[in-house]
Amino acid sequence: MRGSFRKSIAGLLAAAALFALPASATAQEREPTPSEKAALERAGDAQKRKDFVAVRAILAEPALAQFARAHFVLGQLHEQGMGGAKDPAAARASFRRAAELGDIQAMLKIGEELERENAPALKAEAKSWFTAAANRNYPFYSGHARAHLGRMLWQEGDAAGAVTQWSRTDDPFARACLGMAYQTGKGTGTDLLRADYAFYKMGGQRLGEGGPCVELAANAGNLRAQYLVGLAYDDKQSKAFNPAEAVKWYRKAADGGLTIAAQRLADKLDDGEGVPRDAATAYRYYAKVAQATDIGKYDREEAWVRMGEMALAGDGVPKNVADAVRFLSQAEYGDHNYQLGLLYAGAEGFPRDMTKAVQAMSRVSDEKEAQAKAWLKQQADAGNALAQYTYASETQYDRAPTKDAKGKELTSDQQDAIERRYSQQARDFYRKAARQSLLQAMYKVADSDSEISDAERLRLMRSAAERGYPSAMVELARWHFLGWHGLAKDEGMERSWLDRAAATRDPWATGAAAEVYHLRGALGTNYMGSNPTKIAEVLGHYRLAARYYEMAHAAGSESAAGQLASIYSRTSPPGLGNPQLAFKWRKIAVEKQPDQKSMVELSQLYETGKGTPVDLMRAWFWAKSAMRYGTSKDGARVDALWKRLTPAQQATGERAIMTCELTDYQTCRL
């Protein structure tokens, strides 16, 4: 905290308007009077000219004698030697006068200087300044003051008083020491969840003055504190940089079960930067990360990929190609798919599976994209239907280069010609794959090839549908409904194909069938009026949509539950709404795909008691959980709900949210 309020004079005097800000936005207690404002404007003009001699003179004028901020800036000028020689005594006098007039930054500065003197009488005065600053309504500065007060109280043996001060601020030092108090139980009851949460909220920031508190908690066994100590030793910008110590503390936390520490330790030992490389131990810790449930999907996938690479190379573990394939296939997208594709194609003696090889090559990322495309082109030219389709998909919309092979700029016409060739090549490969009866290629040609006849288009789409391709079934149903490509309008055939698509249990196809009737229901609602026949028709559409959505949910669709909740939340047409079913499906939606909309709507159901008993604690919990995607408007509702909770409910809800955050929202339940 020391020195945290040193700002450039240019920043402090950027414009006279700085001094005229409302009291809520600055350390100055009040707005300037007209005469003070005039003087400040002259000081601002002098600052723009970089005439700090004039700035000093103006700020020392009698007109500004009662304006706290002027004294604080004047103190900065004396302290930094701007506009004249450095004058520590004059600086201290100016800061003290600013503090006496109510400038909270000056109060903190005076308090810090007195605290450093380490004399009992001066410490008492420092405490009085910190107390005055803590009681002001400036959260940032008041928080710093409480952090100082807590430290002084702790040193005096008043641990409970220190905890009280630290718990009222987000100051990093206070958070570190509060975590230590909860870990050790000193000054408060032992609360390991709150200790973990305090250190978690510190993120990866430097420990600063909070370092001793973090170290105390680390030595007392707190895993997150141990991880933070490891990060501190791992900081190359710090004088404390010590890779061996970093590894020691990472290992303590990882062996205790903290996944992020295991991840950092594995990377450190794998890289061997600053410590002896230890591939075998790195592999073991990657395995811990890969199977963890308290970190995000992509972190787990990175561990799987590295384990696969090590198993393939025999690095840290005996070479095992089957394990390499199994591990690499755990991560969907990324450059590792190029190597995985080669393995599926028979590299390293692995059993050949060209379908999986092509599929892997389609999932590479940028670095290996060119190599993957070259491989796919080779397989496409050799006649592999899936490679033909995949290569066409990957290159159909490629952009032309801006220069030719000799570095000459290509004209826009030349670039257009190249892109037309790309498009034509893709079309040719789609057709080749369709002639080999690859269902997705048959669908693609029927759906988008403008050069074929309606008869050929219908033949291909019908053939793909009849052979079981769900997307073709959905599209053929649409053609029957619209009467396209030589078909007569036939809603019976439309329904038949949608039923067949849903019967495949393909999540997308079943959801698409549901969306057809969901949309018709929504449109029909606008025109049904009070006509019983129309109402029955719209109700039928919604019920059919609900049936398809239930099938899609059973097939693994992530969005179907939310759509069902929306349908049963409707109040029109009569007979459709069902609060109990709306609540049931909204709750499932949150568990299946915890997006902001689902969380907010579940919160609203708990708040209003629609479909479930009123439960304000759960209403607050889900509104708060949604805040990680939210806005200030959402925050106002969270605060309003919080005020309606009993202290016991607040404690339960708060602990549940802490658990959510600590596990990367993998266990958001209440």
Coordinates of all heavy atoms in Angstrom, one line a residue, residues 109-147:
K109 N -1.8 9.4 3.4 CA -0.4 9.6 3.3 C 0.2 10.0 4.6 O 1.3 9.5 5.0 CB -0.2 10.7 2.2 CG 1.3 10.9 1.8 CD 1.4 11.8 0.6 CE 2.9 11.9 0.2 NZ 3.4 10.6 -0.3
I110 N -0.5 10.9 5.3 CA 0.0 11.3 6.7 C 0.1 10.0 7.6 O 1.0 9.8 8.3 CB -0.8 12.4 7.3 CG1 -0.7 13.7 6.5 CG2 -0.5 12.6 8.7 CD1 0.7 14.3 6.5
G111 N -1.0 9.2 7.5 CA -1.1 8.1 8.4 C 0.0 7.1 8.1 O 0.6 6.5 9.0
E112 N 0.3 6.9 6.8 CA 1.4 5.9 6.4 C 2.8 6.4 6.9 O 3.6 5.6 7.4 CB 1.4 5.8 4.9 CG 0.2 5.0 4.3 CD 0.2 4.9 2.8 OE1 1.0 5.7 2.2 OE2 -0.6 4.1 2.3
E113 N 3.0 7.7 6.8 CA 4.3 8.2 7.2 C 4.5 8.1 8.7 O 5.5 7.7 9.2 CB 4.4 9.7 6.8 CG 4.6 9.9 5.3 CD 4.7 11.3 4.8 OE1 4.6 12.2 5.7 OE2 4.9 11.6 3.6
L114 N 3.4 8.4 9.4 CA 3.5 8.3 10.9 C 3.6 6.8 11.3 O 4.4 6.5 12.3 CB 2.2 8.9 11.5 CG 2.0 10.4 11.4 CD1 0.6 10.8 11.8 CD2 3.1 11.1 12.2
E115 N 2.9 5.9 10.6 CA 3.0 4.5 10.9 C 4.5 4.0 10.8 O 5.0 3.2 11.5 CB 2.1 3.7 10.1 CG 2.0 2.2 10.4 CD 1.2 1.4 9.4 OE1 0.8 2.0 8.4 OE2 0.9 0.2 9.7
R116 N 5.1 4.5 9.7 CA 6.5 4.0 9.4 C 7.5 4.5 10.5 O 8.5 3.9 10.7 CB 6.9 4.6 8.1 CG 6.4 3.8 6.9 CD 7.2 4.1 5.6 NE 7.0 5.4 5.2 CZ 6.0 5.8 4.3 NH1 5.1 5.0 3.9 NH2 5.9 7.1 4.0
E117 N 7.1 5.6 11.2 CA 8.0 6.1 12.3 C 8.2 5.1 13.4 O 9.1 5.1 14.2 CB 7.5 7.4 12.8 CG 7.6 8.6 11.8 CD 9.0 8.9 11.4 OE1 9.9 8.8 12.3 OE2 9.2 9.4 10.3
N118 N 7.1 4.2 13.6 CA 7.2 3.1 14.6 C 7.4 3.6 16.0 O 8.0 3.0 16.8 CB 8.3 2.2 14.2 CG 8.1 0.8 14.8 OD1 6.9 0.4 15.0 ND2 9.1 0.1 15.1
A119 N 6.8 4.8 16.3 CA 6.8 5.3 17.7 C 5.4 5.3 18.2 O 4.5 5.6 17.5 CB 7.3 6.8 17.7
P120 N 5.2 4.8 19.5 CA 3.9 4.6 20.0 C 3.0 5.9 19.8 O 1.8 5.7 19.4 CB 4.1 4.3 21.5 CG 5.5 3.7 21.5 CD 6.2 4.4 20.4
A121 N 3.5 7.0 20.2 CA 2.6 8.2 20.1 C 2.2 8.5 18.6 O 1.1 8.9 18.3 CB 3.4 9.4 20.7
L122 N 3.2 8.4 17.7 CA 3.0 8.6 16.3 C 2.0 7.6 15.7 O 1.2 7.9 14.9 CB 4.3 8.7 15.5 CG 5.2 9.8 15.9 CD1 6.5 9.7 15.0 CD2 4.5 11.1 15.7
K123 N 2.1 6.3 16.2 CA 1.2 5.3 15.7 C -0.2 5.6 16.2 O -1.1 5.3 15.4 CB 1.7 3.9 16.3 CG 2.8 3.3 15.5 CD 3.0 1.8 15.9 CE 3.9 1.1 14.9 NZ 4.0 -0.3 15.2
A124 N -0.4 6.1 17.3 CA -1.7 6.5 17.8 C -2.3 7.5 16.9 O -3.5 7.5 16.5 CB -1.7 7.0 19.2
E125 N -1.5 8.5 16.5 CA -2.0 9.5 15.6 C -2.3 8.9 14.2 O -3.3 9.3 13.6 CB -1.0 10.7 15.4 CG -1.5 11.8 14.6 CD -0.5 13.0 14.4 OE1 0.6 12.9 15.0 OE2 -0.8 13.9 13.6
A126 N -1.4 8.0 13.7 CA -1.6 7.4 12.5 C -3.0 6.7 12.5 O -3.7 6.7 11.5 CB -0.5 6.4 12.2
K127 N -3.2 6.0 13.6 CA -4.5 5.2 13.7 C -5.7 6.2 13.6 O -6.7 5.9 13.0 CB -4.5 4.4 15.0 CG -5.8 3.5 15.1 CD -5.9 2.8 16.4 CE -4.8 1.8 16.6 NZ -5.1 1.0 17.9
S128 N -5.5 7.4 14.2 CA -6.6 8.3 14.1 C -6.9 8.8 12.7 O -8.1 9.0 12.3 CB -6.4 9.5 15.0 OG -5.3 10.3 14.5
W129 N -5.8 9.0 11.9 CA -6.0 9.4 10.5 C -6.6 8.3 9.7 O -7.5 8.5 8.9 CB -4.7 9.8 9.9 CG -4.2 11.2 10.3 CD1 -3.1 11.5 11.0 CD2 -4.9 12.4 10.1 NE1 -3.0 12.8 11.2 CE2 -4.1 13.4 10.7 CE3 -6.0 12.8 9.4 CZ2 -4.4 14.8 10.6 CZ3 -6.4 14.1 9.4 CH2 -5.6 15.1 10.0
F130 N -6.2 7.0 9.9 CA -6.7 5.9 9.2 C -8.2 5.7 9.6 O -9.0 5.4 8.7 CB -6.0 4.6 9.5 CG -4.6 4.6 9.0 CD1 -3.5 4.0 9.7 CD2 -4.3 5.0 7.7 CE1 -2.3 4.0 9.1 CE2 -3.0 5.0 7.1 CZ -2.0 4.4 7.9
T131 N -8.5 5.9 10.8 CA -9.9 5.8 11.3 C -10.8 6.8 10.6 O -11.9 6.5 10.1 CB -10.0 5.9 12.8 OG1 -9.2 4.9 13.4 CG2 -11.5 5.8 13.3
A132 N -10.3 8.1 10.5 CA -11.0 9.1 9.9 C -11.3 8.8 8.4 O -12.4 9.0 7.9 CB -10.3 10.5 10.0
A133 N -10.2 8.3 7.7 CA -10.3 7.9 6.3 C -11.3 6.7 6.1 O -12.1 6.7 5.2 CB -9.0 7.6 5.7
A134 N -11.2 5.8 7.0 CA -12.1 4.6 6.9 C -13.5 4.9 7.0 O -14.4 4.2 6.5 CB -11.7 3.6 8.0
N135 N -13.8 6.0 7.8 CA -15.2 6.3 8.0 C -15.8 7.2 6.9 O -17.0 7.6 7.0 CB -15.4 7.0 9.4 CG -15.1 6.1 10.5 OD1 -15.4 4.9 10.4 ND2 -14.6 6.6 11.6
R136 N -15.0 7.5 5.9 CA -15.5 8.3 4.8 C -16.1 7.5 3.7 O -15.9 6.3 3.7 CB -14.4 9.2 4.2 CG -13.7 10.1 5.2 CD -14.5 11.3 5.5 NE -14.5 12.2 4.3 CZ -13.4 12.9 4.0 NH1 -12.3 12.9 4.8 NH2 -13.5 13.7 2.9
N137 N -16.9 8.1 2.9 CA -17.7 7.3 1.9 C -16.9 7.3 0.5 O -17.5 7.7 -0.5 CB -19.1 7.9 1.7 CG -20.0 7.0 0.8 OD1 -19.7 5.8 0.8 ND2 -20.9 7.6 0.1
Y138 N -15.7 6.8 0.5 CA -14.9 6.7 -0.7 C -14.4 5.2 -0.7 O -13.3 5.0 -0.1 CB -13.8 7.6 -0.7 CG -14.2 9.1 -0.7 CD1 -14.1 9.8 0.5 CD2 -14.7 9.7 -1.8 CE1 -14.4 11.1 0.6 CE2 -15.1 11.1 -1.7 CZ -14.9 11.8 -0.5 OH -15.3 13.1 -0.4
P139 N -15.1 4.3 -1.2 CA -14.8 2.8 -1.0 C -13.3 2.5 -1.3 O -12.7 1.8 -0.5 CB -15.7 2.1 -2.0 CG -16.9 3.1 -2.1 CD -16.4 4.4 -2.0
F140 N -12.7 3.0 -2.4 CA -11.4 2.6 -2.7 C -10.4 3.1 -1.6 O -9.6 2.3 -1.1 CB -11.0 3.2 -4.1 CG -9.6 2.9 -4.5 CD1 -9.2 1.7 -5.0 CD2 -8.6 3.9 -4.3 CE1 -7.9 1.4 -5.3 CE2 -7.3 3.6 -4.7 CZ -6.9 2.4 -5.2
Y141 N -10.4 4.4 -1.3 CA -9.5 4.9 -0.3 C -9.9 4.5 1.1 O -9.0 4.2 1.9 CB -9.5 6.4 -0.4 CG -9.1 7.0 -1.7 CD1 -9.9 7.8 -2.5 CD2 -7.8 6.6 -2.2 CE1 -9.4 8.3 -3.7 CE2 -7.4 7.1 -3.5 CZ -8.2 7.9 -4.2 OH -7.8 8.4 -5.4
S142 N -11.2 4.4 1.4 CA -11.6 3.9 2.7 C -11.1 2.5 2.9 O -10.8 2.1 4.0 CB -13.1 4.0 2.9 OG -13.5 5.4 2.8
G143 N -11.2 1.7 1.9 CA -10.7 0.3 1.9 C -9.2 0.2 2.3 O -8.8 -0.6 3.1
H144 N -8.4 1.1 1.7 CA -7.0 1.1 2.0 C -6.8 1.5 3.5 O -6.0 0.9 4.2 CB -6.3 2.1 1.2 CG -5.9 1.7 -0.2 ND1 -5.1 0.6 -0.4 CD2 -6.3 2.1 -1.4 CE1 -5.0 0.4 -1.7 NE2 -5.7 1.3 -2.3
A145 N -7.6 2.4 4.0 CA -7.5 2.8 5.4 C -7.9 1.7 6.3 O -7.2 1.4 7.3 CB -8.4 4.0 5.7
R146 N -8.9 0.9 6.0 CA -9.3 -0.2 6.8 C -8.2 -1.3 6.8 O -8.0 -2.0 7.8 CB -10.6 -0.8 6.3 CG -11.8 0.1 6.6 CD -13.1 -0.6 6.3 NE -14.2 0.4 6.5 CZ -14.8 1.0 5.5 NH1 -14.5 0.8 4.2 NH2 -15.8 1.9 5.7
A147 N -7.5 -1.5 5.6 CA -6.4 -2.4 5.6 C -5.3 -2.0 6.5 O -4.8 -2.9 7.3 CB -5.9 -2.5 4.1

